Amino acid sequence: MYTTELEQLAGQPFAKGHATGNDFVLISDPEGQLDLSEQQVAALCHRRFGIGGDGLIRAVPTAQVSGYQTQAVENPDAYWFMDYRNGDGSIAEMCGNGVRAFAHFLIAEGLVDLQVGQSIQIGSRAGIKTITRIVDGYAVNLGPWGLIHEEKATAESVDSMVKPRGWEQALPALSITMGNPHTVVALPDLDMLESLDLFQAPDVAPTPPNGTNVEFVVPSDPLIEEDGVAQVRMRVHERGVGETLSCGTGACAAAAAVRYWARGTALINQWAVAVPGGVVGVEFRENAAGGEDTILSGPAELVGRGVIGAA
């Protein structure tokens, strides 16, 4: 299985990295000559027949990515493009944990010089993103969040129904865009969260046009700790992947949804989202345009390097 796909990539160097347990195969393509097929990506990300990963990230010059040359012209500082693929080989717009792993990889490869407190811009299918190196990792400005079904969400605070595997009754949910689609469900307690079967994708109705990631969240009680930071726990089923230990844009969507539901009591800007792979920070920060940006922060590291060998 996947023997042909891996043989086609024989000799290609790679690294393996993760950000709070969300793991990736990372490949440098400075000349923009590597045309990865869906089957090749799936082969590399397979956990038994390949290297293994929730997704694959190719570092390539923005100007070399078909359809994104204008992004490079308009944003010359965003030299590197994060070409992200899901573990099944499908193309995805954005991955918040992947951005942090991508930045760490660029530094390790000597492709950028980024000291603590400094920032860089990168290109992506979800637009230009700004990454700042912090003492314990990276903070990524993912831009504004939004409501996918705004009219219904405004009227009812929910806009869709989600039925996890094995459940007889669907649960109300809110659809959030972080540049990629999310559907967030609130649960009343941790026992219910832990008992979820996320091996298969939950049923979502209506499903956003390009599919959706599904987050299940349990807000802490009280929601806000003494330090003023709101606390939630989350599990996620990522489209094209399955359940993962963490999802950065999903953590932002979860915080945005709970914040939206709590908007009548307080506008909370600082969040800590606990996922099976650790804890990430989410901040909602006013921007110059009068809206607000979503800042995701957390660690990232490389765990190994290698060269793809012929079978």
Side-chain angles (χ1 to χ4, degrees), residues 114-120 130-134 137-141:
L114 188 64
Q115 303 299 316
V116 173
Q118 293 181 334
S119 300
I120 58 168
T130 300
I131 307 168
T132 302
R133 190 171 188 178
I134 58 179
Y138 302 88
V140 185
N141 188 333

Side-chain angles (χ1 to χ4, degrees), residues 87-274:
D88 66 353
S90 59
I91 291 175
E93 303 90 344
M94 174 48 52
C95 176
N97 288 328
V99 177
R100 303 199 312 276
F102 180 64
H104 199 62
F105 178 64
L106 291 177
I107 295 169
E109 289 286 291
L111 299 175
V112 302
D113 180 13
L114 188 64
Q115 303 299 316
V116 173
Q118 293 181 334
S119 300
I120 58 168
Q121 291 185 330
I122 64 159
S124 80
R125 294 186 179 87
I128 302 298
K129 304 301 176 187
T130 300
I131 307 168
T132 302
R133 190 171 188 178
I134 58 179
V135 172
D136 53 357
Y138 302 88
V140 185
N141 188 333
L142 295 174
W145 64 277
L147 299 169
I148 293 178
H149 307 296
E150 186 171 5
E151 185 174 342
K152 187 171 184 180
T154 301
E156 303 178 20
S157 293
V158 293
D159 54 32
S160 54
M161 299 296 290
V162 173
K163 188 162 78 68
R165 182 186 185 191
W167 286 44
E168 294 184 0
Q169 186 170 349
L171 300 168
L174 183 65
S175 304
I176 299 285
T177 176
M178 290 299 314
N180 59 351
H182 298 269
T183 304
V184 183
V185 181
L187 298 177
D189 58 61
L190 292 175
D191 288 341
M192 191 175 290
L193 182 70
E194 295 301 324
S195 67
L196 286 171
D197 182 351
L198 297 182
F199 183 75
Q200 292 182 356
D203 294 328
V204 180
T207 303
N210 295 319
T212 189
N213 305 287
V214 184
E215 288 81 24
F216 296 88
V217 298
V218 177
S220 294
D221 186 16
L223 178 61
I224 306 174
E225 299 294 329
E226 293 182 358
D227 59 3
V229 178
Q231 311 276 333
V232 298
R233 298 193 69 86
M234 182 190 89
R235 288 177 65 191
V236 58
H237 185 284
E238 291 196 54
R239 58 176 179 164
V241 185
E243 182 174 13
T244 59
L245 294 181
S246 181
C247 175
T249 54
C252 293
V258 177
R259 183 173 181 255
Y260 186 76
W261 289 322
R263 64 193 183 279
T265 56
L267 190 62
I268 310 162
N269 291 328
Q270 299 287 341
W271 294 75
V273 182

Side-chain angles (χ1 to χ4, degrees), residues 2-14 25 27 34-37 39-45 51 56 307-310:
Y2 292 131
T3 299
T4 301
E5 288 78 8
L6 293 174
E7 285 180 338
Q8 293 168 348
L9 296 170
Q12 173 65 49
F14 70 90
V25 179
I27 291 177
L34 188 60
D35 185 17
L36 292 170
S37 71
Q39 293 75 22
Q40 288 172 329
V41 172
L44 289 169
C45 291
I51 298 164
L56 179 143
V307 176
I308 301 168

